[in-house]
């Protein structure tokens, strides 16, 4: 970690604060198939963090030989959100609140930087993690044209928190999220809460890797003290 004191921790949301990726993956696959696009759950995990438009465009470019239209994005994403909202509510990620509590106890700023625009989850952040997040420090897909793996969402999180990248760390579960955070200059902790191999997160540039948020919770106090 850098020699600068850590002043903030920026958290990704899906797969970090909520155990929501299994439902996202299934709903993406089902929504795409309804519109004639073939997708598998592994694709969803590999593309986690992208905007909906960017993800769907990858599929149409490969399968239909053309870019997706804004109307198609709107329709497919609306269907995906509709399906997602029918699923049982995704649980809070075990260990996440303990991590947040350690960060708060250390007096650091907490922000969320997510590629999601899923209203049902964004609303739950403030409801179910009461008192941890200030609305202006939640960056979602609505705030950035270019999503992860571009650094834009993390750079916006930085400017909203009024800090420099060397003064913050990021907690991410997705390869493209790690890539985005590293491109923005952050020390990045990867937490492998999904089915991808650790190597996918390491190759993306993760500085540290934990197998779960519980494992990070056990270590974060020491990390923050050392930083
Ligand atoms: Mg994630």
């Amino acid at each position: 970690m850098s020699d600068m004191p850590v002043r903030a921790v920026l958290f990704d949301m899906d797969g970090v604060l909520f155990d929501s990726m299994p439902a996202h993956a299934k709903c993406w696959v089902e929504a795409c198939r309804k519109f004639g696009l073939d997708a598998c759950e592994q694709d969803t995990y590999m593309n986690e963090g992208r905007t909906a438009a960017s993800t769907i465009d990858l599929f149409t470019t490969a399968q239909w030989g053309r870019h997706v239209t804004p109307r198609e994005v709107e329709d497919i994403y609306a269907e995906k959100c509709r399906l997602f909202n029918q699923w049982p509510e995704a649980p809070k990620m075990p260990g996440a609140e303990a991590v947040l509590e350690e960060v708060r106890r250390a007096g650091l700023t907490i922000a969320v930087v997510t590629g999601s625009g899923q209203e049902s989850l964004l609303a739950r952040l403030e409801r179910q993690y009461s008192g941890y997040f200030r609305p202006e420090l939640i960056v979602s897909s609505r705030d950035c044209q270019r999503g992860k793996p571009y650094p834009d969402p993390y750079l916006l999180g930085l400017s909203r928190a009024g800090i420099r990248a060397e003064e913050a760390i990021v907690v991410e579960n997705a390869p493209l999220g790690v890539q985005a955070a590293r491109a923005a200059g952050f020390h990045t902790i990867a937490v492998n809460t999904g089915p991808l191999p650790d190597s996918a997160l390491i190759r993306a540039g993760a500085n540290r890797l934990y197998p779960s948020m519980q494992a990070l919770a056990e270590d974060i106090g020491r990390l923050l003290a050392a930083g």
Side-chain angles (χ1 to χ4, degrees):
M1 282 167 64
S2 86
D3 295 335
M4 311 263 308
V6 176
R7 291 174 56 204
V9 181
L10 283 65
F11 292 88
D12 172 50
M13 179 174 75
D14 291 290
V16 169
L17 299 173
F18 293 115
D19 190 5
S20 43
M21 277 310 294
H24 279 302
K26 288 186 169 59
C27 296
W28 266 121
V29 169
E30 195 178 331
C32 284
R33 288 194 179 150
K34 280 193 180 169
F35 288 85
L37 283 169
D38 203 26
C40 65
E41 291 185 23
Q42 182 87 354
D43 293 332
T44 306
Y45 284 99
M46 282 309 292
N47 288 299
E48 185 192 347
R50 282 189 196 281
T51 61
S54 167
T55 302
I56 300 166
D57 191 60
L58 283 180
F59 297 149
T60 62
T61 304
Q63 296 173 38
W64 295 348
R66 65 160 176 84
H67 289 296
V68 72
T69 66
R71 179 64 201 269
E72 285 165 341
V73 170
E74 204 176 296
D75 289 349
I76 299 172
Y77 190 58
E79 176 61 8
K80 185 259 165 182
C81 290
R82 189 189 69 79
L83 293 168
F84 187 85
N85 290 334
Q86 288 179 340
W87 273 74
E89 194 167 78
K92 291 162 79 172
M93 184 62 78
E97 187 143 19
V99 173
L100 289 170
E101 189 49 46
E102 286 287 339
V103 174
R104 180 161 69 180
R105 196 182 334 204
L108 310 186
T109 299
I110 297 173
V112 175
V113 176
T114 173
S116 175
Q118 188 83 45
E119 293 293 341
S120 55
L121 284 177
L122 291 165
R124 280 179 58 202
L125 273 181
E126 290 174 72
R127 215 170 59 236
Q128 298 195 338
Y129 288 105
S130 177
Y132 289 107
F133 304 117
R134 304 211 313 262
E136 68 273 23
L137 292 183
I138 298 175
V139 174
S140 78
S141 69
R142 291 168 299 188
D143 300 308
C144 284
Q145 191 79 37
R146 297 196 309 179
K148 303 167 187 179
Y150 290 102
D152 306 25
Y154 278 109
L155 292 173
L156 182 59
L158 266 192
S159 74
R160 286 198 187 167
I163 48 156
R164 294 191 289 174
E166 310 85 71
E167 299 175 306
I169 56 181
V170 163
V171 180
E172 258 291 351
N173 71 306
L176 297 184
V178 170
Q179 234 174 286
R182 295 288 287 133
F186 289 97
H187 183 91
T188 306
I189 296 175
V191 183
N192 194 356
T193 59
L196 299 179
D198 286 351
S199 58
L201 292 160
I202 300 289
R203 268 203 311 274
N207 298 98
R208 287 166 195 273
L209 177 71
Y210 290 88
S212 65
M213 286 295 276
Q214 284 134 318
L216 175 59
E218 285 167 24
D219 215 24
I220 189 137
R222 185 188 65 77
L223 274 184
L224 295 176

